[in-house]
Every structure is written in structure tokens, then in C-alpha cells.
Amino acid sequence: MPARVSTLVGSLSLFGLLSAGTAQALELPLPPPGEDVVGEVQVIKAAYEDTFADLGQKYDLGYTEMVAANPGVDAWLPGAGTEIVLPTRFILPPGPREGIVINIAEYRMYYYPKGGHTVFTYPLGIGREGWGSPIGVTKVVDKIKDPSWYPPESVRAEHAAEGDPLPKVVPPGPDNPLGPYKIRLTLPGYLIHGSDKKFGIGMQVSHGCFRMYNFNVTELVGMLPVGTPVRIIDEPYKFGVSQGKLYLEAHQPVTVKGDPTEIDRQAAVVNALIKRDDLLQANSAVNWNTVRDVVQGQDGLPVEIADLPAGMTPGAVAKAPAKTL
């Protein structure tokens, strides 16, 4: 286990522990006003038969974030007794904490129930190259139980070319790729839905829709009102405040073709910090050597990069919403 990870390790909140043990979403208490960090990192020891896909489903994590948090560990055969980092500590996404917020760069959704004091967070499968998931603001228009799947002509043509022809309609059932529920958005052609393949959660595998574990989408549908706003962002570098300290969380960008250079990554981090008007006073206190290490590691774990100046009381700054989809 990396040395800096050991300083982050703790126990999940009561909400998170209950959720992890009962195969439900991570439900975490919202932090006080002006703070942004929720949850705690966990470390477990793998059993012989464990894979990252199995552990991800058990602890409500996606495949990509498990791999990022455990460099050098075999995802399909970690080995009995191997220490596995569970990246269950998060900096909440920037912007208003309302409705659904999807951060494509994290392969993760955050749901803030109206009037509630907790946030539910779920791993997602997102659109693969050539079928990217959209960015912008939309809303929930319908929730459909046991949906039939009508593959678009483009998808049927793709499958036919690969020797795997699809019918015009796939009825409800265990082999239906939409799972037990689909959530329709005002954005035509894109859904939030379950999945018959747990291995695709936390990966770029879909034709643009957002895939969830079936037990997660079932739980979400039970809480989610029609009309709920949905904000889709792509923020690989998130800044957050907790107990007088500034944290950075870095993820591998998913929308950049090829490997971005170190200069590109550093510029992206600076731009992300500039967006946070409430944190401009912290610039002079930032340890840029630590920032460089965090950006190079891209392990998705929040890391302390500065002590906030005395008397600084940052508050969440709500930027203008993205273009409505």
C-alpha cells in the first residue's frame, strides 16, 4: 500500500458501512457548508477468489477507479491476502448540490435528494470512444420498469458487422442490456439504466448511455422524482476543502485522445483551480510539488495540497449552468 494512502485510510461512515455490507449505494452525510469531502478510504485484504469486478460490486465501486487506486495489482487475480485500496472518499463535484450530478471523468454519479442531508453516489459505465456520453444539463422525464430494448439501426449494423446480429426488439429479462429499469432524460437517445454485465460498470463500454449496477438503479428509481435535474460534467481534477485544508483529486481524462503531456495536465489543474473563485486566496499556499505527484498518479484519491490561509472561509460557488441538452 502506498505510503500516502496509509494516511488517508479510515472507516466509512455508518451510512457507508451499512451500504457496502448490504449491496446498496454509498450513502454519505453531506459535509458542513463550505466543505467538500465525504467518505473515507478503506483497505481490505483480498480473498483468493476475489476480482476487482466482484469487489467493485460489493463495495459500490467501478472497475476503472479500482484499477487506478491499486497500481500494480492484478485486477483479475489480486491473490489471497493482497491489500486492496477501496477509493471510497470523494471530493463532491463543483457546482450546485441538487438532483443528479454525473462526472464522466470519474465514471460516477452523485444524487442529492431534495431537502436531504446525505448524498448517494454510484459508479457508472459511460460511452466508449466514438459513442461518447454528452455534457450539459437535462432532467428526468420518465422511469420505466422492465423495459424492452429497441436497438438503434446504428447499433444493429455494428453488431451485424461483428457477426453478432441483434433482433429489432429485446424483451425484458436477465439478458436485456437495459436491466430492470431505464430512466429517460430530455436528452433524446440517452438513458440511465441497469446492466446485465457487471464488468462494464466503471468502464467506457456503452453507446453513450449511463449504465448502473441493477441493484443501484432499482434503489435510485425508488427515490428519484420525475423532473429531477441532471447535470453532466467532465472534471478530471476536483478541488475541495475539508477542516481548513485544500484537497485535490485527479482522474485520467477520458475525452483526451492519446496521452496528455505533463504540461497539459498541469495546465488543466491550474484552470480547474481558477474556476473556483472561492479558492483563489489559497493559490499561494498550494504545494505544487504535491500537485505534480497527484496529477501524475491519477489514482482518484483526495490528497491534501495546502493549508488554507488563516481566516479564509470558502463557500461553494455555483457557476452558471452548462448548456441545456
Side-chain angles (χ1 to χ4, degrees):
M1 180 172 58
R4 70 180 185 83
V5 172
S6 65
T7 66
L8 299 172
V9 173
S11 298
L12 279 176
S13 67
L14 176 61
F15 289 106
L17 283 170
L18 290 174
S19 298
T22 56
Q24 294 178 355
L26 286 169
E27 180 187 2
L28 301 167
L30 287 175
E35 302 214 346
D36 310 285
V37 182
V38 297
E40 297 292 344
V41 175
Q42 293 185 103
V43 174
I44 61 169
K45 289 191 176 181
Y48 172 77
E49 68 276 10
D50 283 336
T51 68
F52 279 10
D54 295 325
L55 292 172
Q57 186 173 33
K58 179 177 181 180
Y59 292 100
D60 229 353
L61 295 165
Y63 179 81
T64 297
E65 60 189 338
M66 288 285 291
V67 170
N70 295 277
V73 178
D74 188 330
W76 297 105
L77 190 63
T82 300
E83 288 190 333
I84 305 295
V85 176
L86 302 178
T88 45
R89 193 183 198 201
F90 312 95
I91 296 175
L92 295 174
R97 295 174 187 170
E98 58 183 29
I100 288 174
V101 180
I102 293 172
N103 188 7
I104 289 175
E106 287 184 79
Y107 303 82
R108 184 160 284 276
M109 170 196 294
Y110 296 83
Y111 173 54
Y112 304 92
K114 190 172 184 180
H117 301 286
T118 61
V119 58
F120 292 82
T121 181
Y122 305 90
L124 299 173
I126 66 172
R128 57 185 170 84
E129 187 173 350
W131 298 86
S133 299
I135 306 295
V137 177
T138 180
K139 66 179 179 180
V140 174
V141 294
D142 201 2
K143 304 178 293 183
I144 299 173
K145 180 177 173 59
D146 296 326
S148 295
W149 182 42
Y150 299 84
E153 287 301 321
S154 56
V155 175
R156 294 184 65 209
E158 179 187 275
H159 277 255
E162 296 173 352
D164 179 30
L166 291 173
K168 290 187 176 182
V169 182
V170 178
D175 297 325
N176 187 306
L178 299 183
Y181 286 96
K182 73 176 183 182
I183 299 170
R184 288 201 309 115
L185 309 173
T186 53
L187 181 62
Y190 293 93
L191 305 168
I192 300 170
H193 62 80
S195 175
D196 60 337
K197 295 181 175 64
K198 67 180 179 181
F199 304 105
I201 305 304
M203 298 177 68
Q204 289 180 269
V205 291
S206 79
H207 290 92
C209 293
F210 300 103
R211 297 183 182 180
M212 304 179 69
Y213 290 126
N214 285 337
F215 64 87
N216 277 347
V217 74
T218 299
E219 179 182 76
L220 178 64
V221 163
M223 300 185 289
L224 188 69
V226 170
T228 296
V230 178
R231 184 163 54 94
I232 308 168
I233 62 176
D234 183 7
E235 296 284 350
Y237 308 113
K238 297 187 299 178
F239 290 90
V241 173
S242 180
Q243 298 182 353
K245 299 181 184 300
L246 180 63
Y247 288 80
L248 170 63
E249 179 182 315
H251 300 265
Q252 170 70 44
V254 297
T255 56
V256 178
K257 291 187 179 293
D259 228 359
T261 66
E262 182 175 343
I263 292 176
D264 291 334
R265 291 196 296 263
Q266 295 288 348
V269 169
V270 171
N271 288 334
L273 182 56
I274 289 173
K275 289 181 186 177
R276 287 289 301 267
D277 296 341
D278 57 327
L279 296 178
L280 293 181
Q281 298 176 52
N283 281 352
S284 60
V286 170
N287 184 329
W288 291 104
N289 289 328
T290 301
V291 169
R292 182 192 62 230
D293 292 343
V294 174
V295 172
Q296 287 178 342
Q298 297 180 142
D299 59 13
L301 301 173
V303 177
E304 178 189 334
I305 60 169
D307 284 313
L308 295 179
M312 182 177 176
T313 55
V317 176
K319 296 291 184 179
K323 181 180 177 182
T324 301
L325 296 171

